[in-house]
PDB file of all heavy atoms in Angstrom:
ATOM      1  N   THR T 500      95.269 109.164  60.422  1.00 95.00           N
ATOM      2  CA  THR T 500      96.426 109.088  61.176  1.00 95.00           C
ATOM      3  C   THR T 500      96.316 110.030  62.423  1.00 95.00           C
ATOM      4  O   THR T 500      95.852 111.243  62.342  1.00 95.00           O
ATOM      5  CB  THR T 500      97.694 109.453  60.406  1.00 95.00           C
ATOM      6  OG1 THR T 500      97.739 108.667  59.306  1.00 95.00           O
ATOM      7  CG2 THR T 500      98.922 109.288  61.159  1.00 95.00           C
ATOM      8  N   ARG T 501      96.745 109.417  63.561  1.00 95.00           N
ATOM      9  CA  ARG T 501      96.759 110.242  64.881  1.00 95.00           C
ATOM     10  C   ARG T 501      98.199 110.407  65.227  1.00 95.00           C
ATOM     11  O   ARG T 501      99.007 109.461  65.316  1.00 95.00           O
ATOM     12  CB  ARG T 501      96.012 109.507  65.933  1.00 95.00           C
ATOM     13  CG  ARG T 501      96.083 110.246  67.299  1.00 95.00           C
ATOM     14  CD  ARG T 501      95.677 109.457  68.384  1.00 95.00           C
ATOM     15  NE  ARG T 501      94.239 108.970  68.277  1.00 95.00           N
ATOM     16  CZ  ARG T 501      93.728 107.870  68.864  1.00 95.00           C
ATOM     17  NH1 ARG T 501      94.406 107.259  69.785  1.00 95.00           N
ATOM     18  NH2 ARG T 501      92.404 107.615  68.751  1.00 95.00           N
ATOM     19  N   VAL T 502      98.637 111.604  65.520  1.00 97.00           N
ATOM     20  CA  VAL T 502     100.027 111.913  65.816  1.00 97.00           C
ATOM     21  C   VAL T 502      99.969 112.551  67.253  1.00 97.00           C
ATOM     22  O   VAL T 502      99.219 113.341  67.598  1.00 97.00           O
ATOM     23  CB  VAL T 502     100.661 112.936  64.860  1.00 97.00           C
ATOM     24  CG1 VAL T 502     101.930 113.419  65.405  1.00 97.00           C
ATOM     25  CG2 VAL T 502     100.901 112.196  63.511  1.00 97.00           C
ATOM     26  N   LEU T 503     100.783 112.008  68.095  1.00 95.00           N
ATOM     27  CA  LEU T 503     101.084 112.471  69.482  1.00 95.00           C
ATOM     28  C   LEU T 503     102.511 113.063  69.587  1.00 95.00           C
ATOM     29  O   LEU T 503     103.528 112.317  69.327  1.00 95.00           O
ATOM     30  CB  LEU T 503     100.811 111.374  70.473  1.00 95.00           C
ATOM     31  CG  LEU T 503     100.749 111.784  71.896  1.00 95.00           C
ATOM     32  CD1 LEU T 503      99.491 112.621  72.160  1.00 95.00           C
ATOM     33  CD2 LEU T 503     100.810 110.533  72.803  1.00 95.00           C
ATOM     34  N   VAL T 504     102.543 114.333  69.932  1.00 96.00           N
ATOM     35  CA  VAL T 504     103.924 114.977  70.067  1.00 96.00           C
ATOM     36  C   VAL T 504     104.179 115.429  71.426  1.00 96.00           C
ATOM     37  O   VAL T 504     103.317 115.907  72.155  1.00 96.00           O
ATOM     38  CB  VAL T 504     103.875 116.307  69.147  1.00 96.00           C
ATOM     39  CG1 VAL T 504     105.066 117.188  69.583  1.00 96.00           C
ATOM     40  CG2 VAL T 504     103.956 115.898  67.583  1.00 96.00           C
ATOM     41  N   GLU T 505     105.322 114.958  71.992  1.00 94.00           N
ATOM     42  CA  GLU T 505     105.743 115.504  73.321  1.00 94.00           C
ATOM     43  C   GLU T 505     106.773 116.585  73.177  1.00 94.00           C
ATOM     44  O   GLU T 505     107.636 116.531  72.266  1.00 94.00           O
ATOM     45  CB  GLU T 505     106.306 114.355  74.108  1.00 94.00           C
ATOM     46  CG  GLU T 505     106.777 114.667  75.561  1.00 94.00           C
ATOM     47  CD  GLU T 505     107.603 113.662  76.260  1.00 94.00           C
ATOM     48  OE1 GLU T 505     107.772 112.527  75.703  1.00 94.00           O
ATOM     49  OE2 GLU T 505     107.975 113.880  77.428  1.00 94.00           O
ATOM     50  N   SER T 506     106.523 117.572  73.874  1.00 95.00           N
ATOM     51  CA  SER T 506     107.424 118.777  74.013  1.00 95.00           C
ATOM     52  C   SER T 506     107.792 119.123  75.302  1.00 95.00           C
ATOM     53  O   SER T 506     107.237 118.712  76.319  1.00 95.00           O
ATOM     54  CB  SER T 506     106.734 120.093  73.306  1.00 95.00           C
ATOM     55  OG  SER T 506     106.173 119.814  72.045  1.00 95.00           O
ATOM     56  N   ARG T 507     108.896 119.924  75.472  1.00 93.00           N
ATOM     57  CA  ARG T 507     109.422 120.385  76.662  1.00 93.00           C
ATOM     58  C   ARG T 507     110.056 121.701  76.631  1.00 93.00           C
ATOM     59  O   ARG T 507     110.431 122.136  75.462  1.00 93.00           O
ATOM     60  CB  ARG T 507     110.398 119.407  77.461  1.00 93.00           C
ATOM     61  CG  ARG T 507     111.702 119.216  76.732  1.00 93.00           C
ATOM     62  CD  ARG T 507     112.593 118.325  77.476  1.00 93.00           C
ATOM     63  NE  ARG T 507     113.830 118.105  76.714  1.00 93.00           N
ATOM     64  CZ  ARG T 507     114.568 116.933  76.779  1.00 93.00           C
ATOM     65  NH1 ARG T 507     114.271 116.107  77.708  1.00 93.00           N
ATOM     66  NH2 ARG T 507     115.716 116.776  76.058  1.00 93.00           N
TER      67      ARG T 507
END
Side-chain angles (χ1 to χ4, degrees):
T500 303
R501 180 194 298 161
V502 168
L503 191 69
V504 165
E505 181 188 0
S506 306
R507 69 180 172 200

